[in-house]
Amino acid sequence: MPASAPSPEHRRAIRAASQAARTQTQRAHLRAVPPMRAETPPPPAARGRSSPRRDARAAVLDAPAVPPPPEALVQRLAVYAFEVIDGVRSVAQLGSWVTPEVAAALTARRTLHAERATLTRDRRRRTATPGRAHLAAPLPHVIEATVVLHLETRSTVAAIRLEHLRDRWRATDITVL
């Protein structure tokens, strides 16, 4: 063995050091999690105080119930969202019924639908007839609704999340399948 070649012990030490460094860099994002403890009551000094998060949740749950939106409004909103995606209606016509995030999402879906229709050369105008709206209230000021939209040859579904904001119902999420 030449004098310049490292010994087997030296090679093992280099290999062990490089493995340790690699392990440290691979697991740098991991951190130790403390073990779960049984729920203990807060100390006597902290019992009178409550967290802002708990206060906000209690305020929402203790708020007076708001009557749900009419079924006709939910059905109309589902048809309008379908028409926006289909390219028949402008997003601006939904104006105050939807949040800006929903308007942006509908615009993006409309663009994708228009591109697909161009590629497939599908120029049909589809009209949707709404079925019955099914409403559920997971929270006092939140309504989740589904509406089946019947087309000539098939059906699709619109799922809508409505929240009562500033004395009116606004759609905070709309998904048309």
Side-chain angles (χ1 to χ4, degrees):
M1 186 148 104
S4 63
S7 66
E9 293 85 18
H10 185 67
R11 284 185 189 157
R12 277 194 290 270
I14 291 173
R15 195 175 304 131
S18 68
Q19 268 187 336
R22 195 175 319 122
T23 304
Q24 276 185 336
T25 57
Q26 287 175 348
R27 296 185 181 170
H29 64 283
L30 299 177
R31 58 185 168 84
V33 177
M36 294 191 58
R37 290 181 271 153
E39 188 72 28
T40 58
R47 282 192 186 139
R49 295 185 234 145
S50 62
S51 70
R53 184 180 212 175
R54 187 171 296 153
D55 290 341
R57 185 178 300 141
V60 168
L61 294 176
D62 294 339
V66 178
E71 185 176 341
L73 172 98
V74 176
Q75 291 172 326
R76 214 173 15 220
L77 189 58
V79 171
Y80 291 169
F82 175 80
E83 290 175 352
V84 166
I85 292 172
D86 205 34
V88 178
R89 184 175 295 274
S90 169
V91 180
Q93 291 178 345
L94 296 180
S96 61
W97 286 10
V98 298
T99 59
E101 295 83 16
V102 172
L106 287 174
T107 304
R109 287 282 310 272
R110 178 185 195 152
T111 304
L112 292 173
H113 184 270
E115 182 179 339
R116 186 186 60 175
T118 302
L119 290 174
T120 59
R121 297 183 183 167
D122 184 9
R123 306 227 186 278
R124 293 177 293 168
R125 178 173 179 230
R126 302 176 298 172
T127 55
T129 306
R132 190 164 170 262
H134 299 274
L135 305 176
L139 290 172
H141 289 76
V142 175
I143 297 290
E144 292 178 346
T146 56
V147 179
V148 176
L149 301 172
H150 302 284
L151 305 170
E152 294 84 26
T153 57
R154 61 181 62 181
S155 296
T156 188
V157 175
I160 304 170
R161 181 179 176 97
L162 297 158
E163 294 183 12
H164 195 262
L165 304 169
R166 297 186 194 99
D167 297 330
R168 65 179 305 150
W169 289 101
R170 292 184 72 189
T172 56
D173 193 19
I174 297 179
T175 303
V176 180
L177 299 180

